[in-house]
């Protein structure tokens, strides 16, 4: 009998602080698997965000640093420019990448930095207690939109991946999801592509991952997955954007 | 017969593995781990296919699959 599934070497053997059913653990593992498969563990440098994944460096078994809230792609730019032989990626939530860090995100993408951005879209601010994010859906209840997001007051959900796809220097943008095993495997393929692009010096790549937050969506883990499938993908369709 | 092992100390009881197993070979458990979480259990004689869907969806990387 052969072991056909076990923890990747790039993921430390520790219990994470994430809530039950949180997508961050899944996304961490997929990145770790890809880094093992591409054999770049000794070359990779991750930039962790501010958000629930703020201590991702305690979970990954490779070099990591930490950026101020929203600034991961600016920090990633600097690291890649001084160490062009390293593989640099940022890991950021929607509050980090698409609210406080919109500026850094758009300009790093527009400069066509040869780095990889992994964007975890859970439509909410997890770490601070479930406030509205730019990606919160219309009608979605959060701590700061108790009656649901209203377009008259909070505007439309921000489709940052689509915006970035319009920039000529952006080479690869794909939106994937973690809501079932098939989609999880597709997410892994997209992450691998985004890292391969950097290895091949192709330029800026971003993978947006729709990810569950059962705690602040106030759902069971299973319900959160079906909410992504039935509701979130209507606003954020799964597809290769560029 | 394929089988899985569950790291009960890392399990958070989210039950996603239970929801995807095509054979219903995993169940919500009755025992608690050191963190006070009721961890899932692999059913004895559970007809596991070794498809690894449970391991793929486990957010906490608690499951190893043998086939
Ligand atoms: C400069 C600054 N402003 C605000 C905060 C508070 N803050 C911490 S995390 C966060 C948002 C996190 O949301 P997201 O990026 O979506 O990640 P998640 O926690 O959902 O994974 C905010 C506003 C901060 N730490 N620093």
């Amino acid at each position: 009998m052969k072991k056909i599934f076990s923890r990747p070497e790039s993921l430390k053997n520790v219990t994470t602080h994430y809530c039950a059913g949180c997508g961050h653990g899944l996304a961490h593992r997929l990145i770790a698997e890809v880094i093992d498969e591409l054999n770049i563990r000794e070359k990779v440098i991750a930039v962790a965000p501010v958000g629930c994944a703020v201590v991702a460096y305690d979970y990954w078994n490779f070099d990591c640093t930490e950026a101020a809230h929203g600034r991961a792609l600016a920090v990633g730019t600097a690291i890649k420019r001084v160490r062009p032989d390293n593989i640099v990626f940022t890991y950021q939530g929607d509050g980090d990448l698409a609210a406080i860090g919109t500026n850094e995100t758009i300009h790093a993408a527009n400069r066509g930095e040869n780095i990889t951005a992994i964007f975890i879209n859970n439509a909410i601010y997890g770490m601070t207690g479930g406030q509205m994010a730019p990606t919160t859906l219309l009608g979605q209840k959060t701590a700061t939109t108790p009656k649901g997001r209203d377009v008259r007051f909070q505007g439309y959900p921000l489709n940052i991946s689509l915006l970035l796809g319009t920039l000529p220097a952006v080479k690869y943008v794909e939106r994937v999801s973690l809501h079932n095993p098939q989609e999880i495997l597709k997410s892994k393929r997209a992450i691998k592509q985004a890292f391969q692009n950097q290895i091949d010096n192709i330029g800026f790549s971003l993978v947006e991952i729709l990810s569950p937050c059962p705690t602040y969506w106030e759902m069971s883990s299973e319900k959160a997955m079906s909410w992504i499938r039935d509701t979130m993908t209507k606003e954020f369709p799964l597809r290769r954007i560029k | 017969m394929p089988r899985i092992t569950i790291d009960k100390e890392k399990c958070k009881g989210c039950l996603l593995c239970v929801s995807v197993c095509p054979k219903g070979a995993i169940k919500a458990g009755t025992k608690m781990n050191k963190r006070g979480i009721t961890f899932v259990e692999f059913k004895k004689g559970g007809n596991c296919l070794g498809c690894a869907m449970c391991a793929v969806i486990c957010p906490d990387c608690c499951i190893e699959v043998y086939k």
Side-chain angles (χ1 to χ4, degrees):
Chain A
M1 197 169 280
K2 251 183 36 213
K3 200 191 266 188
I4 60 158
F5 191 102
S6 59
R7 177 177 289 270
E9 193 187 356
S10 291
L11 195 65
K12 287 184 193 161
N13 189 14
V14 294
T15 305
T16 67
H17 72 288
Y18 298 121
C19 304
C22 171
H24 278 301
L26 269 172
H28 286 12
R29 191 194 79 225
L30 297 181
I31 291 168
E33 288 175 354
V34 164
I35 287 172
D36 281 6
E37 286 169 22
L38 294 173
N39 202 14
I40 53 174
R41 200 173 69 82
E42 297 290 336
K43 278 173 78 174
V44 96
I45 302 175
V47 187
V50 170
C52 287
V54 67
V55 294
Y57 45 74
D58 283 343
Y59 306 142
W60 280 319
N61 189 16
F62 43 74
D63 287 342
C64 300
T65 184
E66 169 68 48
H69 199 10
R71 278 48 171 173
L73 280 164
V75 172
T77 297
I79 297 174
K80 186 71 183 180
R81 288 189 178 199
V82 296
R83 301 186 69 100
D85 294 335
N86 285 88
I87 303 298
V88 178
F89 80 94
T90 69
Y91 181 99
Q92 304 173 259
D94 40 62
D96 194 84
L97 181 138
I100 194 167
T102 319
N103 202 351
E104 284 74 9
T105 303
I106 290 185
H107 287 291
N110 194 49
R111 291 190 306 269
E113 302 295 339
N114 185 30
I115 48 186
T116 303
I118 307 296
F119 166 34
I120 307 297
N121 181 359
N122 60 9
I124 207 141
Y125 285 11
M127 186 190 208
T128 43
Q131 295 84 1
M132 190 196 89
T135 50
T136 294
L137 305 190
L138 292 181
Q140 187 185 335
K141 291 193 174 119
T142 70
T144 45
T145 56
K147 295 191 173 134
R149 181 174 186 163
D150 182 337
V151 72
R152 290 174 302 159
F153 301 115
Q154 291 96 20
Y156 291 96
L158 181 62
N159 195 327
I160 189 92
S161 295
L162 207 55
L163 277 175
L164 294 176
T166 63
L167 302 175
V170 171
K171 297 304 177 201
Y172 174 70
V173 183
E174 181 152 2
R175 185 184 295 116
V176 292
S177 164
L178 299 176
H179 69 259
N180 66 32
Q182 292 73 26
E183 297 300 331
I184 292 169
L185 296 176
K186 282 192 209 160
S187 302
K188 181 176 167 184
R189 280 201 287 279
I191 294 169
K192 198 166 190 175
Q193 184 65 53
F195 276 95
Q196 190 63 49
N197 289 347
Q198 185 177 160
I199 294 169
D200 298 341
N201 261 308
I202 286 176
F204 189 86
S205 301
L206 179 138
V207 180
E208 172 178 347
I209 304 176
L210 305 187
S211 175
C213 177
T215 299
Y216 289 115
W217 295 354
E218 299 184 10
M219 296 175 192
S220 70
S221 305
E222 190 180 349
K223 180 83 207 310
M225 293 304 199
S226 31
W227 191 76
I228 296 182
R229 184 193 62 215
D230 300 335
T231 309
M232 211 175 161
T233 55
K234 298 267 173 356
E235 184 66 41
F236 297 111
L238 305 183
R239 65 184 180 93
R240 174 144 180 195
I241 292 166
K242 193 169 188 180
Chain B
M1 179 69 109
R3 65 184 172 87
I4 62 167
T5 61
I6 296 160
D7 182 338
K8 64 178 196 257
E9 291 305 330
K10 288 204 183 66
C11 177
K12 292 174 184 160
C14 74
L15 306 179
L16 286 174
C17 53
V18 175
S19 76
V20 298
C21 177
K23 288 289 180 185
I26 313 171
K27 59 174 186 197
T30 49
K31 288 183 232 130
M32 273 184 195
N33 65 17
K34 287 195 192 113
R35 293 152 58 90
I37 288 162
T38 310
F39 52 90
V40 296
E41 287 167 25
F42 181 54
K43 289 187 197 162
K44 289 223 165 60
N47 221 5
C48 174
L49 298 171
C51 68
M53 295 224 278
C54 53
V56 168
I57 207 165
C58 176
D60 295 286
C61 213
C62 308
I63 300 178
E64 289 191 335
V65 184
Y66 296 83
K67 196 175 178 177

